[in-house]
mmCIF file of all heavy atoms in Angstrom:
data_model
loop_
_atom_site.group_PDB
_atom_site.id
_atom_site.type_symbol
_atom_site.label_atom_id
_atom_site.label_comp_id
_atom_site.label_asym_id
_atom_site.label_seq_id
_atom_site.Cartn_x
_atom_site.Cartn_y
_atom_site.Cartn_z
ATOM 1 N N ASP G 53 -6.283 -15.638 -13.055
ATOM 2 C CA ASP G 53 -6.763 -16.489 -14.015
ATOM 3 C C ASP G 53 -6.571 -17.920 -13.579
ATOM 4 O O ASP G 53 -5.409 -18.378 -13.227
ATOM 5 C CB ASP G 53 -5.827 -16.201 -15.323
ATOM 6 C CG ASP G 53 -6.231 -17.167 -16.422
ATOM 7 O OD1 ASP G 53 -6.680 -18.357 -16.337
ATOM 8 O OD2 ASP G 53 -6.088 -16.698 -17.710
ATOM 9 N N LYS G 54 -7.640 -18.703 -13.477
ATOM 10 C CA LYS G 54 -7.630 -20.057 -12.781
ATOM 11 C C LYS G 54 -6.674 -20.971 -13.527
ATOM 12 O O LYS G 54 -6.018 -21.821 -13.091
ATOM 13 C CB LYS G 54 -8.945 -20.687 -12.582
ATOM 14 C CG LYS G 54 -9.834 -21.120 -13.759
ATOM 15 C CD LYS G 54 -11.010 -21.787 -13.345
ATOM 16 C CE LYS G 54 -11.720 -22.544 -14.384
ATOM 17 N NZ LYS G 54 -12.256 -21.635 -15.357
ATOM 18 N N ASN G 55 -6.642 -20.862 -14.927
ATOM 19 C CA ASN G 55 -5.696 -21.643 -15.721
ATOM 20 C C ASN G 55 -4.248 -21.373 -15.418
ATOM 21 O O ASN G 55 -3.413 -22.361 -15.489
ATOM 22 C CB ASN G 55 -5.906 -21.480 -17.341
ATOM 23 C CG ASN G 55 -7.300 -22.046 -17.602
ATOM 24 O OD1 ASN G 55 -7.829 -22.993 -17.002
ATOM 25 N ND2 ASN G 55 -8.110 -21.295 -18.504
ATOM 26 N N MET G 56 -3.969 -20.138 -15.274
ATOM 27 C CA MET G 56 -2.517 -19.678 -14.824
ATOM 28 C C MET G 56 -2.205 -20.317 -13.502
ATOM 29 O O MET G 56 -1.106 -20.928 -13.286
ATOM 30 C CB MET G 56 -2.500 -18.275 -14.925
ATOM 31 C CG MET G 56 -2.490 -17.556 -16.057
ATOM 32 S SD MET G 56 -1.055 -18.054 -17.219
ATOM 33 C CE MET G 56 -1.937 -18.156 -18.650
ATOM 34 N N VAL G 57 -3.180 -20.205 -12.544
ATOM 35 C CA VAL G 57 -2.875 -20.770 -11.252
ATOM 36 C C VAL G 57 -2.626 -22.260 -11.203
ATOM 37 O O VAL G 57 -1.818 -22.821 -10.763
ATOM 38 C CB VAL G 57 -4.142 -20.424 -10.309
ATOM 39 C CG1 VAL G 57 -4.060 -21.263 -8.973
ATOM 40 C CG2 VAL G 57 -4.137 -19.007 -10.043
ATOM 41 N N LYS G 58 -3.436 -22.993 -12.019
ATOM 42 C CA LYS G 58 -3.342 -24.488 -12.302
ATOM 43 C C LYS G 58 -1.931 -24.669 -12.811
ATOM 44 O O LYS G 58 -1.232 -25.619 -12.344
ATOM 45 C CB LYS G 58 -4.375 -24.869 -13.203
ATOM 46 C CG LYS G 58 -5.073 -26.193 -12.764
ATOM 47 C CD LYS G 58 -6.437 -26.320 -13.413
ATOM 48 C CE LYS G 58 -6.455 -27.622 -14.257
ATOM 49 N NZ LYS G 58 -7.746 -27.708 -15.056
ATOM 50 N N ALA G 59 -1.507 -24.015 -13.923
ATOM 51 C CA ALA G 59 -0.289 -24.181 -14.562
ATOM 52 C C ALA G 59 0.887 -23.972 -13.602
ATOM 53 O O ALA G 59 1.866 -24.796 -13.529
ATOM 54 C CB ALA G 59 -0.118 -23.374 -15.768
ATOM 55 N N SER G 60 0.875 -22.883 -12.886
ATOM 56 C CA SER G 60 1.716 -22.404 -11.961
ATOM 57 C C SER G 60 1.956 -23.509 -10.756
ATOM 58 O O SER G 60 3.024 -23.904 -10.438
ATOM 59 C CB SER G 60 1.323 -21.092 -11.241
ATOM 60 O OG SER G 60 2.442 -20.600 -10.692
ATOM 61 N N PHE G 61 0.869 -24.017 -10.232
ATOM 62 C CA PHE G 61 0.757 -25.064 -9.271
ATOM 63 C C PHE G 61 1.455 -26.341 -9.872
ATOM 64 O O PHE G 61 2.333 -26.863 -9.077
ATOM 65 C CB PHE G 61 -0.690 -25.374 -8.951
ATOM 66 C CG PHE G 61 -0.839 -26.048 -7.663
ATOM 67 C CD1 PHE G 61 -0.974 -25.367 -6.425
ATOM 68 C CD2 PHE G 61 -0.789 -27.489 -7.525
ATOM 69 C CE1 PHE G 61 -1.078 -25.942 -5.254
ATOM 70 C CE2 PHE G 61 -1.000 -28.083 -6.336
ATOM 71 C CZ PHE G 61 -1.065 -27.354 -5.185
ATOM 72 N N ALA G 62 1.139 -26.607 -10.989
ATOM 73 C CA ALA G 62 1.723 -27.823 -11.682
ATOM 74 C C ALA G 62 3.264 -27.612 -11.739
ATOM 75 O O ALA G 62 4.114 -28.612 -11.587
ATOM 76 C CB ALA G 62 1.133 -28.225 -13.041
ATOM 77 N N ASN G 63 3.768 -26.444 -12.238
ATOM 78 C CA ASN G 63 5.215 -26.239 -12.412
ATOM 79 C C ASN G 63 5.902 -26.304 -11.072
ATOM 80 O O ASN G 63 7.023 -26.808 -11.045
ATOM 81 C CB ASN G 63 5.370 -24.828 -13.134
ATOM 82 C CG ASN G 63 4.965 -24.939 -14.559
ATOM 83 O OD1 ASN G 63 4.985 -25.881 -15.270
ATOM 84 N ND2 ASN G 63 4.603 -23.836 -15.073
ATOM 85 N N MET G 64 5.309 -25.820 -10.024
ATOM 86 C CA MET G 64 5.992 -25.834 -8.778
ATOM 87 C C MET G 64 6.061 -27.219 -8.222
ATOM 88 O O MET G 64 7.014 -27.621 -7.684
ATOM 89 C CB MET G 64 5.181 -24.905 -7.693
ATOM 90 C CG MET G 64 5.256 -23.389 -8.011
ATOM 91 S SD MET G 64 6.916 -22.711 -8.354
ATOM 92 C CE MET G 64 7.597 -22.640 -6.740
ATOM 93 N N LYS G 65 4.985 -27.996 -8.471
ATOM 94 C CA LYS G 65 5.006 -29.402 -7.995
ATOM 95 C C LYS G 65 5.992 -30.219 -8.622
ATOM 96 O O LYS G 65 6.730 -31.122 -8.103
ATOM 97 C CB LYS G 65 3.507 -30.058 -8.286
ATOM 98 C CG LYS G 65 2.480 -29.742 -7.402
ATOM 99 C CD LYS G 65 2.499 -30.714 -6.237
ATOM 100 C CE LYS G 65 1.442 -31.590 -5.898
ATOM 101 N NZ LYS G 65 1.148 -31.439 -4.525
ATOM 102 N N TRP G 66 6.238 -29.889 -9.955
ATOM 103 C CA TRP G 66 7.142 -30.643 -10.820
ATOM 104 C C TRP G 66 8.644 -30.480 -10.238
ATOM 105 O O TRP G 66 9.543 -31.303 -10.410
ATOM 106 C CB TRP G 66 7.047 -30.030 -12.314
ATOM 107 C CG TRP G 66 8.023 -30.710 -13.200
ATOM 108 C CD1 TRP G 66 7.838 -31.953 -13.779
ATOM 109 C CD2 TRP G 66 9.248 -30.209 -13.754
ATOM 110 N NE1 TRP G 66 8.886 -32.236 -14.638
ATOM 111 C CE2 TRP G 66 9.827 -31.119 -14.592
ATOM 112 C CE3 TRP G 66 9.915 -29.059 -13.553
ATOM 113 C CZ2 TRP G 66 11.032 -30.926 -15.292
ATOM 114 C CZ3 TRP G 66 11.116 -28.903 -14.197
ATOM 115 C CH2 TRP G 66 11.662 -29.828 -15.023
ATOM 116 N N LEU G 67 8.929 -29.234 -9.643
ATOM 117 C CA LEU G 67 10.258 -29.061 -9.017
ATOM 118 C C LEU G 67 10.509 -29.899 -7.875
ATOM 119 O O LEU G 67 11.611 -30.067 -7.398
ATOM 120 C CB LEU G 67 10.515 -27.593 -8.702
ATOM 121 C CG LEU G 67 10.620 -26.569 -9.874
ATOM 122 C CD1 LEU G 67 10.428 -25.131 -9.400
ATOM 123 C CD2 LEU G 67 11.686 -26.937 -10.816
ATOM 124 N N GLY G 68 9.409 -30.588 -7.351
ATOM 125 C CA GLY G 68 9.448 -31.487 -6.274
ATOM 126 C C GLY G 68 10.244 -30.831 -5.005
ATOM 127 O O GLY G 68 9.980 -29.766 -4.553
ATOM 128 N N LYS G 69 11.109 -31.796 -4.439
ATOM 129 C CA LYS G 69 11.825 -31.396 -3.144
ATOM 130 C C LYS G 69 12.725 -30.194 -3.332
ATOM 131 O O LYS G 69 13.141 -29.673 -2.322
ATOM 132 C CB LYS G 69 12.559 -32.629 -2.662
ATOM 133 C CG LYS G 69 11.517 -33.686 -2.068
ATOM 134 C CD LYS G 69 12.238 -34.755 -1.397
ATOM 135 C CE LYS G 69 11.442 -35.713 -0.648
ATOM 136 N NZ LYS G 69 10.685 -36.548 -1.523
ATOM 137 N N GLU G 70 13.132 -29.914 -4.600
ATOM 138 C CA GLU G 70 14.018 -28.797 -4.813
ATOM 139 C C GLU G 70 13.563 -27.528 -4.246
ATOM 140 O O GLU G 70 14.287 -26.530 -3.898
ATOM 141 C CB GLU G 70 14.396 -28.582 -6.289
ATOM 142 C CG GLU G 70 15.294 -29.678 -6.822
ATOM 143 C CD GLU G 70 15.635 -29.411 -8.220
ATOM 144 O OE1 GLU G 70 16.569 -28.467 -8.385
ATOM 145 O OE2 GLU G 70 15.219 -30.166 -9.183
ATOM 146 N N VAL G 71 12.230 -27.330 -4.244
ATOM 147 C CA VAL G 71 11.529 -26.041 -3.706
ATOM 148 C C VAL G 71 10.476 -26.516 -2.756
ATOM 149 O O VAL G 71 9.564 -27.253 -3.182
ATOM 150 C CB VAL G 71 10.879 -25.292 -4.860
ATOM 151 C CG1 VAL G 71 10.406 -23.983 -4.397
ATOM 152 C CG2 VAL G 71 11.998 -24.994 -5.964
ATOM 153 N N ASN G 72 10.624 -26.098 -1.478
ATOM 154 C CA ASN G 72 9.471 -26.632 -0.522
ATOM 155 C C ASN G 72 8.717 -25.506 0.101
ATOM 156 O O ASN G 72 7.762 -25.930 0.604
ATOM 157 C CB ASN G 72 10.111 -27.685 0.409
ATOM 158 C CG ASN G 72 11.347 -27.046 0.962
ATOM 159 O OD1 ASN G 72 11.721 -25.901 0.947
ATOM 160 N ND2 ASN G 72 12.268 -28.022 1.453
ATOM 161 N N ASN G 73 9.107 -24.219 0.011
ATOM 162 C CA ASN G 73 8.393 -23.267 0.601
ATOM 163 C C ASN G 73 7.739 -22.311 -0.348
ATOM 164 O O ASN G 73 8.204 -21.334 -0.929
ATOM 165 C CB ASN G 73 9.262 -22.367 1.521
ATOM 166 C CG ASN G 73 9.398 -22.948 2.903
ATOM 167 O OD1 ASN G 73 8.387 -23.596 3.373
ATOM 168 N ND2 ASN G 73 10.525 -23.023 3.422
ATOM 169 N N TRP G 74 6.440 -22.690 -0.900
ATOM 170 C CA TRP G 74 5.763 -22.044 -1.941
ATOM 171 C C TRP G 74 4.199 -22.175 -1.692
ATOM 172 O O TRP G 74 3.686 -23.042 -1.046
ATOM 173 C CB TRP G 74 6.103 -22.461 -3.311
ATOM 174 C CG TRP G 74 5.855 -23.893 -3.588
ATOM 175 C CD1 TRP G 74 6.615 -24.998 -3.412
ATOM 176 C CD2 TRP G 74 4.624 -24.474 -4.247
ATOM 177 N NE1 TRP G 74 5.996 -26.160 -3.757
ATOM 178 C CE2 TRP G 74 4.868 -25.998 -4.232
ATOM 179 C CE3 TRP G 74 3.421 -24.053 -4.683
ATOM 180 C CZ2 TRP G 74 3.850 -26.855 -4.847
ATOM 181 C CZ3 TRP G 74 2.477 -24.723 -5.189
ATOM 182 C CH2 TRP G 74 2.613 -26.299 -5.197
ATOM 183 N N LYS G 75 3.630 -21.066 -2.152
ATOM 184 C CA LYS G 75 2.106 -21.031 -2.032
ATOM 185 C C LYS G 75 1.577 -20.257 -3.233
ATOM 186 O O LYS G 75 2.207 -19.238 -3.673
ATOM 187 C CB LYS G 75 1.829 -20.266 -0.783
ATOM 188 C CG LYS G 75 0.402 -20.065 -0.524
ATOM 189 C CD LYS G 75 0.134 -19.302 0.810
ATOM 190 C CE LYS G 75 -1.401 -18.669 0.963
ATOM 191 N NZ LYS G 75 -1.362 -17.686 2.082
ATOM 192 N N ILE G 76 0.483 -20.714 -3.881
ATOM 193 C CA ILE G 76 -0.093 -19.998 -4.968
ATOM 194 C C ILE G 76 -1.560 -19.817 -4.733
ATOM 195 O O ILE G 76 -2.374 -20.707 -4.318
ATOM 196 C CB ILE G 76 0.133 -20.831 -6.275
ATOM 197 C CG1 ILE G 76 1.639 -20.954 -6.586
ATOM 198 C CG2 ILE G 76 -0.687 -20.217 -7.551
ATOM 199 C CD1 ILE G 76 2.084 -21.992 -7.596
ATOM 200 N N VAL G 77 -2.074 -18.614 -5.022
ATOM 201 C CA VAL G 77 -3.401 -18.210 -4.610
ATOM 202 C C VAL G 77 -4.121 -17.641 -5.879
ATOM 203 O O VAL G 77 -3.597 -16.878 -6.661
ATOM 204 C CB VAL G 77 -3.357 -17.121 -3.594
ATOM 205 C CG1 VAL G 77 -4.773 -16.734 -3.071
ATOM 206 C CG2 VAL G 77 -2.527 -17.507 -2.351
ATOM 207 N N LYS G 78 -5.386 -18.110 -6.123
ATOM 208 C CA LYS G 78 -6.172 -17.460 -7.050
ATOM 209 C C LYS G 78 -6.863 -16.302 -6.502
ATOM 210 O O LYS G 78 -7.535 -16.278 -5.586
ATOM 211 C CB LYS G 78 -7.327 -18.433 -7.598
ATOM 212 C CG LYS G 78 -8.073 -17.906 -8.776
ATOM 213 C CD LYS G 78 -9.325 -18.747 -9.137
ATOM 214 C CE LYS G 78 -10.242 -18.097 -10.212
ATOM 215 N NZ LYS G 78 -10.637 -16.693 -9.878
#
Side-chain angles (χ1 to χ4, degrees):
D53 182 328
K54 71 172 190 299
N55 294 326
M56 292 294 143
V57 169
K58 224 159 122 182
S60 196
F61 199 87
N63 288 334
M64 294 307 285
K65 279 275 242 232
W66 181 79
L67 292 173
K69 289 191 172 67
E70 286 186 73
V71 180
N72 42 26
N73 275 321
W74 59 274
K75 180 180 162 191
I76 294 161
V77 183
K78 183 188 178 301

